[in-house]
Amino acid sequence: MAYETVIVETRGNVGLITLNRPQALNALNSTVLKELKQAYAAFHTDEAVGAIVLTGSERAFAAGADIKEMQPLAFADIYKSDFISGWDEVAKARKPVIAAVSGFALGGGCELAMMCDFIIASETAKFGQPEITLGVIPGMGGSQRLTRAVGKAKAMDLILTGRMMDAAEAERSGLVSRVVAPDRLLDEAFAAAEKIASLSQPSVLMAKEAVNRAFETTLEEGLRFERRLFHSLFATDDQKEGMAAFVEKRKPAFRHR
Ligand code: CO8
């Protein structure tokens, strides 16, 4: 498939999507959304792909929603079209997605990174929700996902002032899982994605569902959900294989079923 704003590749069992609008620091417009959804859908139907890495350029993961595209819009336009709602589909990707962030991850860019399952950042990464400086507020989940990720104090600080935080502060705050040297970013993200792709896909998908459920329900319901998923994995061949391989001191050969 020909893409205009993203580069889509498969490397072994890992799908790689690179945002590619260098002239606009990878600002997210309607074409990016359409193409990201297409790329995710293609990876989801490709049984060989076990995990996805989403990245940008060295200078910018994405500097936000495309301000030039939004500037002429009126309330009635964006309300009637339920502007932004299409991004929910991106956030609901079933296979694990790792964001590999270098440079600016601002506004919708930060929100897109937070839609991924975890973020690996280069030392050069800068995160922020500067929408307030444009007379609006985060619209792709920033006020909700950032607050869940870093807590109220830091989220308020960032969202009310519009300031950026560097990679070290983002790691201290719990927004990113690892910070690496710029030239290690893709290798590190790939190594993590390859590891995930080598594991039993049903257990990977259920692990992701279980962690995500923690954000949506009570502890008691979440624990029950986790336990039921755990029980159900004993119906898979891969549970038999994984445990037999441990006992027999050999590597498991998962068949993803
Ligand atoms: N939208 C459109 N174009 C952009 C954007 C953007 N978000 N960010 C940068 N660009 C363009 C610039 O206009 C410039 O283009 P040109 O060369 O044609 O003038 C080019 O990218 C390079 O940018 P700069 O010259 O500004 O580069 P600097 O290194 O001087 O500055 C910054 C880099 C600090 C990142 C600066 O570009 C900046 O502040 N960008 C805007 C950041 C921002 O406010 N982001 C939030 C946008 S609002 C948002 O994300 C709402 C999300 C909810 C809606 C989601 C719907 C999809």
Side-chain angles (χ1 to χ4, degrees), residues 5-192:
T5 61
V6 295
I7 299 166
V8 180
E9 302 157 60
T10 306
R11 294 192 194 166
N13 295 324
V14 175
L16 172 65
I17 305 174
T18 308
L19 300 168
N20 186 36
R21 293 189 72 211
Q23 72 287 0
L25 300 183
N26 293 332
L28 308 170
N29 63 11
S30 41
T31 311
V32 177
L33 170 60
K34 187 183 83 191
E35 294 188 345
L36 261 183
K37 287 201 285 195
Q38 284 169 350
Y40 273 32
F43 284 144
H44 286 138
T45 50
D46 185 344
E47 289 242 349
V49 170
I52 299 165
V53 173
L54 176 63
T55 195
S57 67
E58 215 177 309
R59 193 165 167 224
F61 176 75
D66 192 314
I67 300 168
K68 293 165 190 167
E69 190 182 69
M70 286 187 293
Q71 186 192 5
L73 301 179
F75 167 75
D77 303 325
I78 63 170
Y79 179 68
K80 284 194 294 183
S81 67
D82 204 11
F83 184 58
I84 304 176
S85 60
W87 288 92
D88 290 350
E89 212 178 298
V90 173
K92 285 188 178 142
R94 290 194 72 213
K95 289 182 181 172
V97 186
I98 302 172
V101 174
S102 173
F104 300 111
L106 302 177
C110 185
E111 292 168 309
L112 175 58
M114 291 190 291
M115 287 177 192
C116 301
D117 296 304
F118 60 99
I119 303 173
I120 300 182
S122 147
E123 285 158 355
T124 64
K126 288 201 181 312
F127 298 88
Q129 298 290 161
E131 290 91 341
I132 202 88
T133 66
L134 300 167
V136 291
I137 66 167
M140 264 168 67
S143 65
Q144 306 304 301
R145 291 197 180 92
L146 185 66
T147 308
R148 281 166 165 78
V150 305
K152 178 181 168 185
K154 187 74 79 181
M156 282 288 192
D157 177 356
L158 291 164
I159 290 170
L160 293 179
T161 67
R163 78 172 174 90
M164 295 184 212
M165 71 175 166
D166 64 15
E169 186 180 355
E171 188 182 29
R172 274 201 309 281
S173 317
L175 179 63
V176 311
S177 66
R178 319 178 194 178
V179 177
V180 298
D183 59 351
R184 291 273 318 137
L185 179 66
L186 265 191
D187 288 348
E188 190 88 5
F190 257 95

